[in-house]
Amino acid sequence: MLTRLILCFCTLFILASSQAAAAENRRKAIAFSYAPEMSMGQCVGRDVASAMACAKKKCIAEGGTKEDCLDVAACFPANWTVVVAIQPSDGPSWTEFHCGWANRELALKAAEAACDREIRGDVMECGAALLYDENGREYEP
């Protein structure tokens, strides 16, 4: 009887430990909501829907309106994201979000590709403004 009880306890302990480890290693989604010239919201979550809802709330909290905070990008798994700031020769500037890159270097190469002067000849300034890792930590490019 005691042996059975010990085996049950050990089995429960192993199951609980493996579930906790799986939860820690679970991939995350990243999402961005952007109100041009007003604010931005960025969040990570367990899935795209929860990350996007959080990003929109942050965008509104930072000064955007519900109507102006647009869902502009989301990736699952999040991996690395680069935020590209673009200033054309004439007209308003804008921001692009490129997510899902396997590592920091590839995210920076995506920014270079997004700023290719052969494709975007009308752009005065263009470049990586921010980087985010899969956990939503912000980095300088």
Side-chain angles (χ1 to χ4, degrees), residues 17-66:
S17 297
S18 65
Q19 285 178 347
E24 276 184 32
N25 294 328
R26 192 169 293 138
R27 303 303 300 264
K28 296 174 184 156
I30 193 164
F32 296 87
S33 183
Y34 182 64
E37 307 291 333
M38 284 191 250
S39 69
M40 178 186 91
Q42 171 274 328
C43 276
V44 293
R46 68 184 181 285
D47 55 41
V48 169
S50 62
M52 192 56 77
C54 173
K56 183 165 286 239
K57 283 181 187 175
K58 281 188 175 180
C59 181
I60 294 167
E62 292 295 319
T65 65
K66 185 177 179 181

Side-chain angles (χ1 to χ4, degrees), residues 64-116:
T65 65
K66 185 177 179 181
E67 296 77 25
D68 289 326
C69 288
L70 306 173
D71 298 340
V72 293
C75 284
F76 182 86
N79 291 328
W80 281 83
T81 300
V82 63
V83 179
V84 179
I86 303 167
Q87 176 64 56
S89 301
D90 58 351
S93 62
W94 70 90
T95 304
E96 293 180 355
F97 303 83
H98 301 276
C99 56
W101 299 99
N103 57 49
R104 176 188 176 102
E105 291 74 28
L106 286 176
L108 290 171
K109 287 195 182 291
E112 287 178 26
C115 294
D116 186 332

Side-chain angles (χ1 to χ4, degrees), residues 1-17:
M1 181 70 176
L2 182 60
T3 306
R4 226 181 200 179
L5 185 61
I6 292 172
L7 281 174
C8 283
F9 177 74
C10 289
T11 302
L12 287 173
F13 179 75
I14 290 169
L15 285 173
S17 297

